[in-house]
Amino acid sequence: HSSEALTDPTSPYFEKPLEFARSQFNYYQCSECDRPYYGGLRRCQDVEREEPNKKDLICGGCSAGSASCARHGPSHLEWKCKYCCNTAVWFCWGTTHFCELCHSPPRKTVREECKGEEKCPLKGLHPPNGSEFAIGCSMCRSAAQEAATQQEQGNVAVSYTHLTLPTKRIV
């Protein structure tokens, strides 16, 4: 599937995929490892929002710190929304992970208090909202969900123990 902008001869991006990508996506240079990284869609960049501080521009690998998956490495880490306890599905401004609810207009940038272990989708196993936090490996989570489904159906289940969620509440 290619964009019409790349295949339409009248488009300024006709047969220019790199220029088209630069017009659609934000890329930043990590302040820790100096590698470039994807920082979100340009359309998500608030007009009134200032450019991020260069020291705050940290790629996923560096911001994950020691969080990693024994099987898949840091490439498939899932992140918690910076402002609530849901799993993030958006990465914007080169610095911030959002869940769908917090990302949708009007974008929420005020942190919500965790509702506690019983009501938190992450069982409270995360630092206070307002900070970036890797919650585990998406590949292992998918495999564990598949194994649970297989077990429920009476099939032989495969054990996946590589998930990197913390085992105690972080405060």
Side-chain angles (χ1 to χ4, degrees):
H1 173 297
S2 66
S3 171
E4 194 175 305
L6 297 174
T7 57
D8 178 359
T10 63
S11 166
Y13 300 111
F14 179 63
E15 296 183 343
K16 298 177 183 175
L18 187 57
E19 288 179 32
F20 178 70
R22 287 183 180 144
S23 75
Q24 301 296 305
F25 309 108
N26 286 318
Y27 294 94
Y28 300 96
Q29 186 171 355
C30 177
S31 64
E32 292 190 10
C33 70
D34 292 325
R35 291 189 196 126
Y37 72 96
Y38 169 75
L41 297 172
R42 284 201 185 266
R43 64 185 161 97
C44 288
Q45 191 74 31
D46 290 333
V47 176
E48 299 170 10
R49 187 171 173 81
E50 294 178 17
E51 281 295 311
N53 187 322
K54 293 207 184 298
K55 72 173 181 50
D56 294 334
L57 295 173
I58 302 172
C59 71
C62 290
S63 63
S66 62
S68 190
C69 173
R71 178 170 280 176
H72 303 105
S75 299
H76 298 282
L77 287 178
E78 290 185 310
W79 294 82
K80 182 188 99 35
C81 177
K82 183 173 184 174
Y83 300 102
C84 73
C85 301
N86 293 319
T87 301
V89 293
W90 293 96
F91 182 61
C92 300
W93 310 332
T95 60
T96 308
H97 290 88
F98 288 96
C99 68
E100 185 65 39
L101 245 137
C102 291
H103 182 266
S104 299
R107 187 170 290 136
K108 187 191 310 181
T109 56
V110 175
R111 70 183 182 101
E112 184 180 286
E113 291 299 318
C114 179
K115 292 176 177 48
E117 200 171 321
E118 295 294 317
K119 294 182 180 176
C120 175
L122 301 173
K123 310 282 187 244
L125 301 173
H126 58 81
N129 294 334
S131 59
E132 293 288 311
F133 184 69
I135 58 174
C137 175
S138 63
M139 298 290 284
C140 288
R141 181 185 49 77
S142 294
Q145 286 174 334
E146 176 64 25
T149 300
Q150 293 295 320
Q151 190 172 30
E152 286 173 9
Q153 295 173 352
N155 300 328
V156 177
V158 178
S159 174
Y160 289 88
T161 58
H162 311 293
L163 232 119
T164 56
L165 280 174
T167 56
K168 62 181 182 176
R169 185 170 171 80
I170 300 170
V171 284

